[in-house]
Amino acid sequence: MPDYTTREMMEAIDQTPPVRTFFQRTFFPGEQTHISEKVEFDVRKGKRIMAPFVSPRRGGKVITRQGWKTNQFTTPKIAPERPLTIDDIAHRGIGENIYSQRTPDERENELLSKDLTDLEEAIARRKEWMCRQIMYTGKVDVVDEEEGVDVQIDFGFSNIIVLGANEQWSQPAVNPLIILREVRKKIIKATGSAPDMAVFSSDMIEDFITNPHVKAAMDMLNYKNIVIEPRVVDPALTFYGRIAEMDLDIYTYDEWFLNDEGEDEAMVPEGTVLLGHSSGEGQIEYGLVTQMEDKTFRSYEGKLVPKVWADENSEVKKVRLTSRPLPRPFDVDSWAVIQMQKGDKP
């Protein structure tokens, strides 16, 4: 690989099509970089204040300005790296022709380029997990046991509606539409904006479409309040249909990730329905990245900052990709999560 500067590599990475993920692109589509590791933003809670009546003999009445709260968070650091050794470039790689005449330099260039792509995809998966955590819990736990890092970033999300054993959607007496209407009204009351999409877990969509109240609404001729017409958007994302009276599109997202315990975990938690806005709930804030280059600390404002260096004593070249992303919501009252109480599902 030619000896590009960090800036040149950053520009090349910016031109690479990103790994698209549902939660990030849907709920945190915007991006903003900062010149500090810490980011600050104002949160304003709007209230529906009506103008007061005033006597004809008075000039007017004062309406106080509504306050806001400034939050400050240190952006978490993500910095995966990969070594490149003599053995990696001296022997044929996976998929390479057994009679290949490629030189070690050619293999080095290709491996370093592939490593940068792999590291970028790993960071994208971590960002998707962060977006998922915020949407379902309002919190992100930043943990590095080896370095003793254990910090929780909490945005104060409280719109989690837990349904008990007598509110299971699989029960014939329970009407899911009533619950969805109540949650939708709660969001409208708090923000003035109605959610227009619902993300169902796989078990919840089955309970929903087989519920007798929902089936009755689907069977009503010429009413078309609920239309279920599944359509695969991509291998993991399915559009199921819509609820006309709530202007609500229904989706399922069947994707998994390898959690920090090394276990497969569903991206959409079991027994949940997420109501949100297709226009987004926030954006990704990127903090400043500082790293050592040529024995000097250099700082970069950007989403992804690469670094390639060599350890001649151990004859190893390493490539690292660093990012300091923090998905942050604009208003934690603008979405809600319906959750079945754990242990209550049959």
Side-chain angles (χ1 to χ4, degrees), residues 44 47-54 58 60-67:
R44 178 181 176 184
K47 295 183 179 179
R48 294 177 173 83
I49 297 178
M50 294 198 304
F53 290 109
V54 180
R58 290 193 58 179
K61 289 184 179 180
V62 173
I63 297 180
T64 59
R65 291 186 178 88
Q66 297 181 55

Side-chain angles (χ1 to χ4, degrees), residues 277-290:
H277 299 82
S278 60
S279 58
E281 305 292 353
Q283 67 183 22
I284 308 286
E285 310 286 349
Y286 292 91
L288 190 73
V289 173
T290 300

